[in-house]
Amino acid sequence: DVKSEWKDYDKTFTQSNGDGITDKDHTKDGVNMFYNLVTDIYEWGWGPSFHFAPMLKGKGALESSIAHETRIPDTLGLKPGTVALDVGCGIGGPLITIASHSGAKVIGVTINSYQVERCRTRAIKAGLRPMEDFDVLQGNFLDLKFDDDSFDNVYAIEATCHSPDLEKAYSEIYRVLKPGGKFVNYEWVSTAVYDPRNADHVRCIDKINYANALPEMRKYSDIASVARKVGFKVLEERDLAQNSTAGDWWGILKTRKKKYKVNDIMIKVLSFLRILPKNTKDVHKMLYGVLETFIEGGELGIFSPMYMVVLEK
């Protein structure tokens, strides 16, 4: 139930001093609880694609989000006849875009059973054919239930940041990828500007981690290092937030502040009336509260949710 899951989540992901959480073994269950708590709120308040995107000049949020997603199949060279794995597919926003855009079959994996059903329902409604154009499975990307060399390409969008062991996650992705196949990932990272001796920087990253079920925040330099360690060749790495021709990824949070404030009031009222479970208001308070922290992290330049790596097996 929401009350017990909220208490467990709060206990698991509370962190301070930039040290991450203490019980990393509980991360898998904690992330699953997180998405039990937030999936409907995210879909209602944000949309089907649970990620940020650089805001393109003269374009809206939806167009910018789709451009951010289609960069992946274009980089991978996805096309009809190829099969890609979506690691941490959520409710299928990017999966639907990428399968539709490329013509490739996309298989999604998510830790959360509710998200499996939402993804399947949304994909079918969008016109994708089950088993032919897509599939979606419940699973843990630290222990993928696929044979070695199963996929032509793999991608992940703001998902492996939830892993308590990035090396293990990348090792599993390497294992299921065919030789010569590519893996594109958008990671959450602290940037070169982040200073672990700066109390404001540490507080900001700790709050982002807490409100988003991250066991810790990786440094930007960790990503390629881990990839090479498990055997990948690093073809490209760059922070897509550092794009002078696009707007700030956190700009959408500024423009939607009033909307999210109204949403927060609505959630409080519905929780008070017991139309929603009582602790739903606490979950939404956490999500609403971190908006300013995301903006702060973006404006300080210490956090990026879109550090891209292009890797090859």
Side-chain angles (χ1 to χ4, degrees), residues 226-242:
V226 169
R228 291 188 179 98
K229 188 174 181 180
V230 305
F232 277 115
K233 178 182 179 181
V234 179
L235 302 180
E236 182 180 2
E237 59 173 320
R238 63 187 173 109
D239 187 357
L240 298 178
Q242 301 300 316

Side-chain angles (χ1 to χ4, degrees), residues 101-171:
H101 175 76
S102 68
K105 179 179 180 179
V106 180
I107 297 176
V109 172
T110 172
I111 196 72
N112 187 266
S113 60
Y114 178 62
Q115 289 191 340
V116 170
E117 297 309 314
R118 290 296 301 135
C119 179
R120 182 175 289 115
T121 299
R122 293 187 63 89
I124 292 171
K125 186 176 180 180
L128 296 181
R129 298 165 297 175
M131 305 305 296
E132 295 181 60
D133 301 323
F134 84 98
D135 196 9
V136 57
L137 307 167
Q138 184 179 12
N140 179 359
F141 51 62
L142 295 179
D143 184 23
L144 293 167
K145 303 303 182 184
F146 302 109
D147 293 336
D148 295 356
D149 308 333
S150 291
F151 295 95
D152 297 298
N153 294 285
V154 181
Y155 67 87
I157 301 177
E158 302 183 26
T160 54
C161 54
H162 291 299
S163 174
D165 187 337
L166 191 64
E167 183 178 335
K168 189 172 182 180
Y170 275 35
S171 292

